[in-house]
């Protein structure tokens, strides 16, 4: 049975082959992207016979919710079990708007692109066991729909960040159709400008994105400004190197005209000292960029530590004094382990 969220499902053609008007494809899609139709039978404005035919031909959900956690700050996290028993995570982050009327409020979802990860960043929980497999397009869309369904009626997801488990640029063939489906005005209607793809920095894939879809926001996980240290923290750097990563980032910027983000996880005494900040300023010089500084979220069993407050402040001061735009990612949902592969490992070790 086919998963209805896969891109090769040609719903209008399927409908017309059954003598149904093709506009019903839009009706079905709206039910699906509302995230609230648990079954075709619940799509009450479709004829009964059509609902039965759909039920016989397609599956809506291939995942089940293995765990749902909620933090005090409104962050919610889902551990989803896939049809083959593998598990992935996705997160809903709520940020209030500046006004009392909730204008400008963000409902951002962080989604996974793979089961596990092959990049091997030494401080990250997702890659500890390597990559198991790519997610399918339908599995990526299901994360969006499951999270959309957590919102009260009338609230919509506003932003997507592909910063969950996996390396998104290693699974572009399945990710890109999922992200274009998220833009469907009959569906979630989230514009490319509100979608951010985070990558360890794979130049050929960055170039492909620049050629095909340069309107996404690109975030490059840099974490160190010299090759020796970066290769220690981000082992794939060994065969790529910072010169190539930066050159690819610059080409993306030229194609997109959108400000690039560089992510920098601060690891106590490893990459948080003044010389590291000065090297980062040098590396990024003369570029219109934002540095997203992420305080390390501890992973059980790994020896890395958060920076001290003094080290963190000094690091940020050096960047700001050099005129670098800096954003410090606030801790959201830390108590529900809402960071990269942590819940999945926890669940596996408790199982
Ligand atoms: N593979 C992609 C996207 C997934 S990780 C990438 O490397 O960008 C998203 C971000 O979270 C990356 O910057 C990653 O380095 C960071 N990260 C991973 N584990 C972390 C941890 N325990 N604490 C803080 N940030 C972490």
């Amino acid at each position: 049975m086919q998963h209805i969220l896969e891109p090769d499902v040609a719903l209008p053609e399927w409908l017309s082959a059954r003598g149904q008007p093709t506009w019903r494809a839009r009706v079905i899609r709206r039910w699906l992207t509302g995230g609230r139709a648990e079954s075709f039978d619940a799509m009450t404005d479709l004829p009964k016979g059509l609902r039965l035919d759909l039920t016989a031909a397609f599956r809506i959900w291939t995942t089940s919710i293995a765990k749902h956690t909620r933090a005090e700050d409104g962050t919610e996290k889902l551990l989803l079990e896939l049809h083959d028993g593998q598990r992935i995570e996705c997160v809903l982050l709520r940020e209030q708007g500046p006004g009392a009327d909730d204008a400008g409020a963000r409902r951002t979802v962080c989604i996974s692109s793979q089961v596990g990860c092959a990049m091997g960043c030494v401080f990250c929980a997702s890659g500890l066991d390597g990559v198991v497999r790519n997610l399918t397009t339908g599995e990526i869309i299901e994360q969006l729909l499951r999270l959309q369904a957590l919102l009260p009626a009338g609230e919509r997801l506003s932003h997507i960040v592909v910063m969950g488990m996996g390396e998104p640029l290693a699974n572009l063939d399945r990710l890109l159709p999922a992200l274009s489906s998220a833009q469907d005005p009959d569906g979630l209607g989230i514009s490319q400008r509100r979608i951010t793809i985070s990558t360890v920095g794979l130049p050929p894939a960055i170039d492909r994105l620049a050629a095909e879809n340069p309107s996404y926001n690109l975030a490059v996980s840099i974490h160190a400004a010299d090759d020796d240290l970066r290769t220690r923290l981000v082992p794939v750097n060994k065969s790529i190197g910072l010169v190539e990563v930066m050159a690819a980032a610059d080409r993306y910027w030229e194609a997109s005209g959108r400000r690039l983000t560089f992510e920098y996880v601060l690891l106590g005494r490893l990459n948080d000292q003044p010389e590291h900040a000065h090297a980062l300023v040098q590396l990024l010089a003369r570029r219109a960029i934002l540095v997203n500084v992420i305080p390390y979220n501890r992973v059980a069993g790994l020896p890395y530590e958060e920076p001290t407050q003094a080290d963190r402040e000094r690091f940020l001061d050096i960047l700001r004094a050099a005129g670098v735009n800096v954003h410090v990612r606030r801790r959201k949902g830390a108590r529900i382990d809402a960071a990269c592969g942590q819940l999945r490992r926890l669940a596996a070790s408790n199982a």
Side-chain angles (χ1 to χ4, degrees):
M1 207 188 287
Q2 236 186 332
H3 188 190
I4 191 140
L5 300 172
E6 287 299 332
D8 54 349
V9 171
L11 209 47
E13 290 77 0
W14 185 90
L15 286 164
S16 56
R18 275 154 194 80
Q20 293 283 342
T22 51
W23 53 260
R24 291 219 153 105
R26 288 216 330 258
V27 176
I28 296 167
R29 216 173 308 132
R30 275 200 214 117
W31 274 108
L32 292 171
T33 47
R36 287 179 177 80
E38 282 293 326
S39 66
F40 291 110
D41 202 43
M43 300 182 179
T44 44
D45 52 359
L46 296 178
K48 183 81 187 160
L50 176 58
R51 285 187 258 159
L52 289 173
D53 283 352
L54 284 163
T55 307
F58 300 112
R59 287 207 291 178
I60 300 185
W61 302 108
T62 62
T63 70
S64 59
I65 298 177
K67 192 168 178 189
H68 177 188
T69 35
R70 207 181 305 248
E72 275 166 22
D73 62 10
T75 302
E76 295 187 59
K77 176 156 179 161
L78 296 178
L79 180 69
L80 296 182
E81 182 154 323
L82 310 178
H83 68 88
D84 55 0
Q86 295 294 337
R87 290 175 161 199
I88 54 162
E89 324 171 324
C90 51
V91 181
L92 168 68
L93 301 132
R94 299 169 203 261
E95 278 163 314
Q96 298 306 313
D101 59 351
D102 214 27
R106 289 180 171 213
R107 292 165 197 90
T108 303
V109 293
C110 176
I111 57 169
S112 295
S113 54
Q114 298 181 309
V115 180
C117 185
M119 300 299 115
C121 301
V122 294
F123 50 84
C124 174
S126 298
L128 289 176
D129 306 318
V131 65
V132 179
R133 67 171 175 88
N134 285 321
L135 294 183
T136 65
T137 298
E139 287 166 339
I140 297 170
I141 299 172
E142 265 192 57
Q143 296 173 67
L144 301 172
L145 302 189
R146 293 272 187 207
L147 293 165
Q148 165 70 41
L150 300 180
L151 294 175
E155 278 188 28
R156 314 287 300 161
L157 299 180
S158 63
H159 293 74
I160 299 173
V161 295
V162 192
M163 290 187 187
M165 287 167 54
E167 169 50 44
L169 292 199
N171 191 19
L172 273 183
D173 285 342
R174 289 152 207 95
L175 177 68
L176 290 178
L179 294 182
S180 60
S181 144
Q183 293 160 48
D184 184 348
D186 283 326
L188 296 173
I190 301 175
S191 81
Q192 278 199 26
R193 299 173 158 262
R194 292 177 159 209
I195 300 177
T196 301
I197 303 176
S198 175
T199 176
V200 74
L202 304 176
I206 292 175
D207 286 336
R208 176 178 160 196
L209 201 60
E212 293 178 21
N213 295 85
S215 294
Y216 291 116
N217 298 300
L218 189 70
V220 181
S221 295
I222 204 84
H223 307 326
D226 77 84
D227 271 321
D228 284 347
L229 181 57
R230 189 165 196 264
T231 296
R232 265 171 63 203
L233 301 177
V234 181
V236 289
N237 186 64
K238 190 173 171 39
S239 57
I240 303 171
L242 276 166
V243 170
E244 289 303 319
V245 173
M246 292 307 296
D250 287 343
R251 290 192 294 273
Y252 191 83
W253 179 78
E254 266 174 43
S256 74
R258 317 228 350 111
R259 183 173 71 170
L260 294 175
T261 299
F262 288 87
E263 292 162 279
Y264 196 102
V265 173
L266 274 185
L267 302 160
R269 294 187 306 280
L270 258 181
N271 67 351
D272 64 346
Q273 297 301 302
E275 66 265 29
H276 302 124
H278 289 299
L280 187 61
V281 168
Q282 287 290 315
L283 181 77
L284 302 176
R286 295 181 302 281
R287 291 180 170 93
I289 52 99
L290 173 75
V291 175
N292 198 350
V293 172
I294 315 171
Y296 184 57
N297 222 323
R298 271 180 186 245
V299 176
L302 293 184
Y304 306 99
E305 290 175 11
E306 299 119 82
T308 64
Q309 194 178 341
D311 282 344
R312 188 183 65 198
E313 292 307 324
R314 199 169 43 172
F315 189 92
L316 295 172
D317 284 346
I318 293 170
L319 261 56
R320 289 187 181 124
V324 176
N325 292 311
V326 186
H327 176 259
V328 183
R329 189 179 299 167
R330 273 186 299 140
R331 273 277 164 91
K332 287 197 138 261
R335 256 185 276 143
I336 57 168
D337 291 317
C340 320
Q342 295 189 5
L343 183 64
R344 165 177 170 257
R345 289 188 65 79
L346 214 60
S349 62
N350 291 343

